[in-house]
Amino acid sequence: VMRRNPFGMDICCRKGSRSPLQELYNPTQVSLSNTAILHQIRRDQVTDTCRANSVSSRKRRVLTPNDLKHLVVDEDHEMIYCYVPKVACTNWKRVMMVLTGRGKYSDPMEIPANEAHVSSNLKTLNQYSIPEINHRLKNYMKFLFVREPFERLVSAYRNKFTQKYNTSFHKRYGTKIVRRQRKNATQEALRKGDDVKFEEFVAYLIDPHTQREEPFNEHWQTVYSLCHPCHIHYDLIGKYETLEEDSNYILQLAGVGNFLKFPTYAKSTRTTDEMTTEFFQNISSEHQTQLYEVYKLDFLMFNYSVPSYLKLE
């Protein structure tokens, strides 16, 4: 049984062994200590950016339970993962289900994608009392994954607005975008909202009316607003560009690296840098500049340089 499903109770609950947090800051293995230095540099970058932008970034001092709904808690391995849509979050949720499932799941890829997004399958930090929240924020290893902001944005646009099956997005956001951004829209476009152009999507994002109306949808919300890195100290910042190494490093720290590897598969439909460049070709420099301002903290905080294709004013 142990060989078939290594996530029996004795492995899942790491009482008595070192916690991921201890292993990260005082590594017992040399292989882990080299990677620790890289993550220290990433943490420092976030701290420095928060400090440099403290006027804008610390307006809201106190986090509300609603701010914590993206933080998934793994009690057994003492880890907290803040999920960011369009940054391998389906696979990370699958892995978290294996880690917290107490033997119920052993292979992340056997979990259907839609099941990974059922909120009751994972426990989030906003479901705890305030003392419990504070205890976990202090003692658990907290991590998130980030991606080049505009590549993530194009990925969200392609997924939500160019796929025919995403009718709920077309109805909720597409119709609104068409109504507001398209002159002489046809009745059909206003009703269906299934042919939103990328230029219209960008115009919607930078429209001050949008910001006032409601928070951005999580698929294009900034990482800064989803995970609150200026208020929550993340121990590890994984990157989409080094997804496999960073993910397996986290699983190693959790003491499960020998049994569980992060799922890898080559996705030919993945949004790339070249693709992102193409999408931005039709965006005016004025709109590019305004859009960069919206995502600027994500660029700075996670050390992404201004894309070479941008024509900023």
Side-chain angles (χ1 to χ4, degrees):
V1 172
M2 274 308 294
R3 204 169 307 124
R4 201 190 79 241
N5 183 359
F7 284 88
M9 285 298 290
D10 50 345
I11 278 175
C12 87
C13 314
R14 32 171 323 123
K15 297 297 162 253
S17 58
R18 284 162 61 84
S19 75
L21 208 52
Q22 291 166 325
E23 199 54 67
L24 171 65
Y25 291 108
N26 299 296
T28 48
Q29 299 170 44
V30 179
S31 61
L32 293 181
S33 57
N34 298 337
T35 316
I37 296 164
L38 164 73
H39 286 279
Q40 179 64 55
I41 293 167
R42 290 182 186 173
R43 281 196 297 276
D44 290 346
Q45 176 77 22
V46 171
T47 307
D48 294 346
T49 308
C50 290
R51 205 170 285 140
N53 296 277
S54 61
V55 182
S56 60
S57 65
R58 287 191 179 269
K59 265 203 286 260
R60 281 170 55 226
R61 277 269 154 72
V62 182
L63 294 175
T64 64
N66 196 42
D67 291 323
L68 306 175
K69 61 177 191 284
H70 273 250
L71 280 79
V72 174
V73 181
D74 172 0
E75 292 289 349
D76 296 328
H77 304 90
E78 302 190 345
M79 298 198 298
I80 294 175
Y81 159 58
C82 183
Y83 69 89
V84 177
K86 306 313 299 172
V87 193
C89 96
T90 305
N91 276 354
W92 255 110
K93 283 181 175 181
R94 285 170 163 144
V95 168
M96 292 299 272
M97 282 171 72
V98 173
L99 289 172
T100 58
R102 307 234 166 162
K104 194 172 160 189
Y105 313 95
S106 56
D107 178 2
M109 292 319 278
E110 280 176 8
I111 302 171
N114 59 340
E115 206 178 308
H117 296 294
V118 173
S119 55
S120 58
N121 283 333
L122 290 165
K123 197 160 185 192
T124 48
L125 197 57
N126 59 341
Q127 296 170 320
Y128 292 84
S129 70
I130 302 226
E132 288 172 331
I133 289 171
N134 289 334
H135 170 78
R136 282 157 184 74
L137 285 175
K138 191 172 156 205
N139 297 293
Y140 286 16
M141 185 177 82
K142 299 167 295 299
F143 67 95
L144 78 164
F145 275 79
V146 299
R147 182 178 186 177
E148 202 279 340
F150 285 169
E151 196 179 287
R152 177 177 164 242
L153 191 66
V154 169
S155 174
Y157 166 77
R158 289 178 65 218
N159 178 244
K160 298 302 169 197
F161 294 106
T162 68
Q163 304 292 342
K164 289 291 170 226
Y165 60 80
N166 266 321
T167 48
S168 63
F169 265 83
H170 303 156
K171 280 265 185 289
R172 178 155 185 213
Y173 295 100
T175 53
K176 194 185 292 181
I177 294 171
V178 169
R179 190 173 68 243
R180 210 179 287 164
Q181 307 300 339
R182 190 179 301 176
K183 290 187 175 74
N184 312 322
T186 65
Q187 283 307 0
E188 190 185 20
L190 289 166
R191 192 179 77 251
K192 282 188 173 170
D194 63 352
D195 64 344
V196 170
K197 297 183 183 66
F198 185 64
E199 299 88 291
E200 294 171 328
F201 178 53
V202 169
Y204 162 78
L205 294 175
I206 59 178
D207 184 344
H209 189 86
T210 304
Q211 293 274 19
R212 283 196 303 271
E213 191 175 56
E214 60 178 348
F216 275 5
N217 177 278
E218 59 177 24
H219 291 85
W220 48 84
Q221 180 60 280
T222 61
V223 177
Y224 163 73
S225 303
L226 287 176
C227 294
H228 313 283
C230 289
H231 302 275
I232 294 170
H233 172 82
Y234 286 94
D235 303 290
L236 276 166
I237 293 143
K239 293 204 160 189
Y240 193 71
E241 296 75 17
T242 49
L243 177 63
E244 235 174 296
E245 304 94 290
D246 293 344
S247 298
N248 288 322
Y249 175 56
I250 290 167
L251 296 174
Q252 250 180 306
L253 292 170
V256 297
N258 297 338
F259 314 101
L260 182 60
K261 290 278 175 276
F262 191 76
T264 57
Y265 53 97
K267 261 187 113 180
S268 51
T269 57
R270 229 200 82 193
T271 300
T272 59
D273 186 45
E274 293 74 47
M275 217 179 268
T276 306
T277 306
E278 264 172 61
F279 273 91
F280 272 85
Q281 276 179 339
N282 298 330
I283 307 296
S284 70
S285 58
E286 184 192 355
H287 279 190
Q288 286 186 8
T289 306
Q290 288 172 287
L291 192 68
Y292 179 74
E293 280 304 315
V294 173
Y295 292 93
K296 186 177 177 178
L297 277 176
D298 280 6
F299 275 100
L300 297 173
M301 205 168 269
F302 307 118
N303 207 17
Y304 288 107
S305 48
V306 177
S308 54
Y309 56 77
L310 282 194
K311 311 177 285 283
L312 298 182
E313 292 192 332

